[in-house]
Amino acid sequence: MSFTLATWNINSVRLREGLVARLLQDEAPDVLCLQECKSPVDKIPMEAFRALGYSHIVARGQKGYNGVAILSRLPIVEAGAQDFASLGHARHVAARLENGVTIHNVYVPAGGDIPDRNENEKFGQKLDFLTEMRDFFRWDRPDRAILVGDLNIAPREDDVWNHKALLKIVSHTPVEVEHLGAAQASGGWVDVTRQDIPVGPLYSWWSYRSPDWNTADKGRRLDHIWATPDISNAAHGSRILRELRGWEQPSDHVPVFASFDL
DNA sequence: ATGGTAGGTGTCCTA
């Protein structure tokens, strides 16, 4: 059975309901994980998604900020959520599908502008969030699992438009990359996107502040798909849908896709 | 070195 999933930071699921519907119709992934829904759960336009065949939905939400959702065409048999770093934010939701695959959908804190936890509380919260992710997967090592989301870190030199210029910019600092690596290692997670596309620049986000995002191309790969080693060798067909950044009233992130032959 | 844009609990907060 081939299984396709996608992850997309949608930056308001209500404002961009139409874009989500268009992606579901055009690409028909089995599962779509959304971040930054910026909506209470009861105001997510679930009926529109159900009408397109995504009748199994789990979400965590709050007014205005954060928010994560998993839309699935396959039945969900169990759901849960963690509050990493005890922020009281809707930044994680998990679902186990009928096919035995567990999906973790994560929205890691952006971390503010100053990469120093003594000067910037939000940066410390980002590092703490990653440390608690590390500990969570260390004690309960996952199998047949996929972790996706806006991890708000571009770990590799070719995950950013200019490695040297971004070394002190939040999202690409060595301390963040180290924390992300520790969380990845503790679960044994394989970076599926880079397994499929091992070399060359790869971005999933372009700032709204760059008017000419396409030609300037100052992107970063902040959105990731990881899988546990027991299923990572079944992964293939990774794609980043860059062209969606050019849609009308776009999110600043584009969807990342991967397929698994399970 | 600076400031640029976008969305929502909107004239401030977060990204």
Side-chain angles (χ1 to χ4, degrees):
Chain A
M1 164 219 176
S2 186
F3 168 78
T4 297
L5 94 166
T7 178
W8 194 8
N9 177 318
I10 194 61
N11 186 19
S12 176
V13 70
R14 282 182 281 173
L15 187 67
R16 284 184 249 285
E17 173 190 339
L19 272 58
V20 174
R22 184 171 163 194
L23 181 77
L24 295 175
Q25 287 179 299
D26 288 357
E27 300 290 340
D30 295 292
V31 171
L32 175 62
C33 295
L34 299 171
Q35 303 88 35
E36 266 204 282
C37 296
K38 291 185 171 177
S39 172
V41 171
D42 62 5
K43 291 190 175 172
I44 295 173
M46 296 204 191
E47 281 315 310
F49 305 143
R50 288 201 181 98
L52 294 168
Y54 296 80
S55 46
H56 310 278
I57 300 175
V58 294
R60 293 292 182 275
Q62 59 187 94
K63 257 195 221 170
Y65 303 101
N66 311 312
V68 287
I70 300 174
L71 318 182
S72 177
R73 305 204 290 181
L74 309 173
I76 291 169
V77 296
E78 194 182 345
Q82 295 294 317
D83 182 13
F84 298 121
S86 303
L87 301 172
H89 296 175
R91 294 183 178 273
H92 172 262
V93 66
R96 194 166 76 250
L97 306 181
E98 212 175 41
N99 65 8
V101 172
T102 299
I103 294 168
H104 292 277
N105 180 14
V106 185
Y107 176 45
V108 173
D113 289 332
I114 303 169
D116 179 339
R117 70 184 309 153
N118 296 314
E119 293 180 47
N120 169 19
E121 179 186 39
K122 288 204 281 265
F123 192 73
Q125 291 172 347
K126 181 177 196 175
L127 299 181
D128 293 345
F129 190 100
L130 293 162
T131 297
E132 293 201 13
M133 268 180 61
R134 179 200 67 187
D135 292 342
F136 179 75
F137 294 118
R138 172 188 286 169
W139 305 130
D140 193 8
R141 206 176 173 85
D143 58 0
R144 279 183 81 78
I146 301 170
L147 185 151
V148 307
D150 177 3
L151 306 186
N152 263 315
I153 295 171
R156 294 174 25 148
E157 293 191 15
D158 51 3
D159 290 336
V160 295
W161 65 279
N162 185 327
H163 168 63
K164 279 191 174 178
L166 291 180
L167 275 171
K168 292 181 177 175
I169 302 298
V170 172
S171 75
H172 193 60
T173 64
V175 65
E176 290 170 87
V177 172
E178 178 196 335
H179 278 68
L180 184 70
Q184 184 179 357
S186 83
W189 299 106
V190 173
D191 179 343
V192 164
T193 308
R194 279 305 188 181
Q195 175 182 265
D196 274 349
I197 311 170
V199 290
L202 218 45
Y203 313 140
S204 65
W205 173 88
W206 294 262
S207 172
Y208 283 128
R209 296 172 188 172
S210 176
D212 205 0
W213 69 272
N214 196 23
T215 50
D217 201 18
K218 295 183 175 181
R220 306 177 200 170
R221 187 172 71 105
L222 304 180
D223 303 275
H224 299 265
I225 298 180
W226 293 350
T228 48
D230 54 342
I231 60 169
S232 63
N233 57 3
H236 62 94
S238 292
R239 296 185 294 149
I240 299 184
L241 275 57
R242 179 188 175 104
E243 64 274 16
L244 270 68
R245 187 63 177 76
W247 281 5
E248 190 176 342
Q249 204 169 29
S251 170
D252 46 351
H253 296 250
V254 298
V256 180
F257 275 68
S259 296
F260 294 81
D261 287 330
L262 296 174

